[in-house]
Amino acid sequence: MQNVVIRSIERLDFRTKEAYKTLRTNLSFAGKNVKVISLTSCTPNEGKTSVSFQLCLSLAESGKQTILVDADLRKSVLRGRYKANREKYGLSHYLSGQMELDDVCCRTNVNNFDIIFAGPIPPNPSELLGGDAFKNMLEVLRMKYDYVIVDTPPLGGVIDGAVVGAICDGTVLVVESGAISYKFAQNVKEQLDKVGCRILGCVLNKVNTKKNPYYGKYYGYYYGSYYGYGNSGADEVQDELMLDAGSQTDATASETETAALQQSTEEKGDAK
């Protein structure tokens, strides 16, 4: 097994961390047999990779043995985004029969968190992801880890996400707030339905809590006053969200909110 060091991890504010904890908790209630979970989106730059990475960190922090599989064989950004030192071998090496599974797994400097990077771009990514080698790999990882999170390409352009979703226990769709039309999201959902993929829910990403009163009011006033700062204090915490290396990511200066995976507990509280 290779060893890699992740040098750049986003500093998340309190509200964003709580959103990932909520996502983690809701996934745990999906069933004990739901261990291999893929994440996809409609288009690039919706925050799919950042959500996948931060979800893995949240699971690892809770004591779950977690591995992130970078199945975006066409245009992977995982290694470059988190400034990981270069790995020798990746997923494409294993799927093409050049390396064994243990050779492409990477142990990170984060406890309980391993990664399989994408590796070099192959000429036939869809065929590799739909082959027996990938299916067998997921079964082996299922037995070794508590959770296997698979980051797949956006479904709006290529079919890879549906191919992977069909052999996973479930799929989570990441949608950027205010950027994707309802019809587009429905079309992507229909693609997943056609291959028999179980859709676990949706993550509403890049929510601007300052402009959206529904999210901003709940997190700003409730958690703001509870932790000793008011509405302006909550804004200050939001402004502190940044990368250690100073580069932009999908989750920078944005809020990650879970939708469809959780019940609207806020609305129930208002009704009472």
Side-chain angles (χ1 to χ4, degrees):
M1 181 177 284
Q2 306 171 81
N3 292 303
V4 299
V5 177
I6 301 173
R7 299 188 178 93
S8 179
I9 299 178
E10 295 99 332
R11 293 171 52 196
L12 304 181
D13 66 9
F14 171 78
R15 291 171 294 179
T16 309
K17 288 181 180 178
E18 287 300 304
Y20 280 113
K21 289 180 181 179
T22 301
L23 176 59
R24 179 187 73 196
T25 302
N26 289 329
L27 288 175
S28 68
F29 282 103
K32 64 179 181 179
N33 294 325
V34 179
K35 301 178 63 176
V36 183
I37 302 169
S38 68
L39 278 81
T40 190
S41 60
C42 299
T43 62
N45 303 319
E46 290 189 75
K48 167 184 56 64
T49 298
S50 291
V51 172
S52 301
F53 186 85
Q54 291 295 337
L55 173 60
C56 287
L57 287 182
S58 184
L59 289 168
E61 288 174 358
S62 69
K64 301 294 183 182
Q65 291 289 332
T66 307
I67 185 167
L68 173 60
V69 179
D70 185 2
D72 192 347
L73 299 181
R74 299 175 187 268
K75 193 177 180 180
S76 174
V77 297
L78 185 64
R79 183 177 61 83
R81 175 166 297 162
Y82 294 102
K83 309 300 180 185
N85 58 312
R86 180 174 292 276
E87 78 290 350
K88 292 183 179 179
Y89 310 113
L91 179 61
S92 58
H93 287 110
Y94 170 75
L95 296 181
S96 59
Q98 300 178 54
M99 291 293 163
E100 297 296 326
L101 179 57
D102 191 61
D103 296 327
V104 301
C105 291
C106 299
R107 179 169 288 117
T108 72
N109 54 320
V110 179
N111 292 333
N112 304 321
F113 183 26
D114 295 340
I115 296 178
I116 297 179
F117 291 95
I121 301 175
N124 55 340
S126 294
E127 288 75 13
L128 291 178
L129 294 173
D132 292 335
F134 188 70
K135 296 178 184 178
N136 295 336
M137 183 195 75
L138 293 182
E139 288 304 314
V140 172
L141 295 178
R142 178 196 297 275
M143 293 184 289
K144 294 179 61 176
Y145 294 89
D146 296 314
Y147 282 99
V148 181
I149 305 300
V150 187
D151 181 23
T152 68
L155 259 175
V158 293
I159 198 64
D160 299 7
V163 172
V164 174
I167 57 178
C168 292
D169 299 329
T171 296
V172 174
L173 180 62
V174 178
V175 177
E176 180 181 352
S177 176
I180 302 300
S181 68
Y182 175 80
K183 185 176 181 180
F184 194 1
Q186 283 288 343
N187 290 338
V188 170
K189 177 184 178 299
E190 290 174 2
Q191 272 190 298
L192 294 171
D193 289 336
K194 287 178 181 178
V195 298
C197 176
R198 179 186 176 187
I199 301 176
L200 300 176
C202 175
V203 171
L204 183 63
N205 196 35
K206 298 187 180 182
V207 177
N208 190 327
T209 56
K210 297 178 181 178
K211 294 182 179 180
N212 192 316
Y214 176 79
Y215 296 102
K217 179 180 179 181
Y218 181 80
Y219 283 96
Y221 287 99
Y222 180 77
Y223 288 111
S225 59
Y226 184 79
Y227 281 89
Y229 49 79
N231 193 36
S232 59
D235 292 342
E236 292 175 2
V237 174
Q238 169 66 16
D239 292 337
E240 290 176 1
L241 182 59
M242 58 182 293
L243 274 181
D244 294 340
S247 59
Q248 285 276 347
T249 70
D250 302 323
T252 303
S254 65
E255 284 294 325
T256 303
E257 292 293 340
T258 54
L261 282 172
Q262 62 179 6
Q263 295 181 343
S264 299
T265 55
E266 300 89 347
E267 294 177 357
K268 291 182 178 180
D270 294 339
K272 291 180 180 181

